[in-house]
Amino acid sequence: MIREVKVTRNYQITIPLEIREKLGIKVGDKVLVVCEGDEIRIIPKKKSIKELKGTIKKDIGITSTKIDEVIRSSVEEVSKAVEGEYKR
């Protein structure tokens, strides 16, 4: 998906609605801005565990095994992304 946006005099841009919705970006969220050669990538920053504190109900069956699986999966995902960055 490609959308054209205008840079304001304060060097700001607006992320188009359909892209914000697709990526789940909300007001107050943080994004990473990455410069790759002559391109800019904007990547939604995932919330930290500390920021998520209190958002999960205690009785929904989350186990330490499930948490470990999610962490392992996330580490693998980040490793693949970083690996891809260095191959360019």
Side-chain angles (χ1 to χ4, degrees), residues 38-86:
D38 60 350
E39 295 182 355
I40 298 171
R41 289 180 47 208
I42 300 173
I43 305 165
K45 186 175 178 193
K46 304 296 181 202
K47 295 199 181 295
S48 72
I49 290 176
K50 286 183 181 180
E51 292 173 305
L52 295 173
K53 182 180 179 183
T55 62
I56 299 175
K57 305 224 183 288
K58 293 180 182 179
D59 59 350
I60 59 172
I62 292 180
T63 65
S64 60
T65 302
K66 288 182 183 177
I67 292 171
D68 289 341
E69 289 173 12
V70 169
I71 292 171
R72 193 171 12 266
S73 171
S74 297
V75 168
E76 289 172 6
E77 194 175 315
V78 168
S79 296
K80 288 178 185 175
V82 169
E83 201 173 280
E85 296 290 321
Y86 289 109

Side-chain angles (χ1 to χ4, degrees), residues 1-53:
M1 177 182 317
I2 298 174
R3 296 293 177 264
E4 184 176 300
V5 297
K6 183 177 180 180
V7 178
T8 69
R9 68 173 179 216
N10 292 327
Y11 299 97
Q12 297 173 332
I13 64 168
T14 298
I15 302 169
L17 175 62
E18 62 183 3
I19 293 175
R20 291 192 317 262
E21 288 176 341
K22 179 178 181 178
L23 299 177
I25 298 172
K26 307 237 181 315
V27 172
D29 286 354
K30 294 186 178 185
V31 296
L32 303 173
V33 179
V34 182
C35 181
E36 295 179 337
D38 60 350
E39 295 182 355
I40 298 171
R41 289 180 47 208
I42 300 173
I43 305 165
K45 186 175 178 193
K46 304 296 181 202
K47 295 199 181 295
S48 72
I49 290 176
K50 286 183 181 180
E51 292 173 305
L52 295 173
K53 182 180 179 183

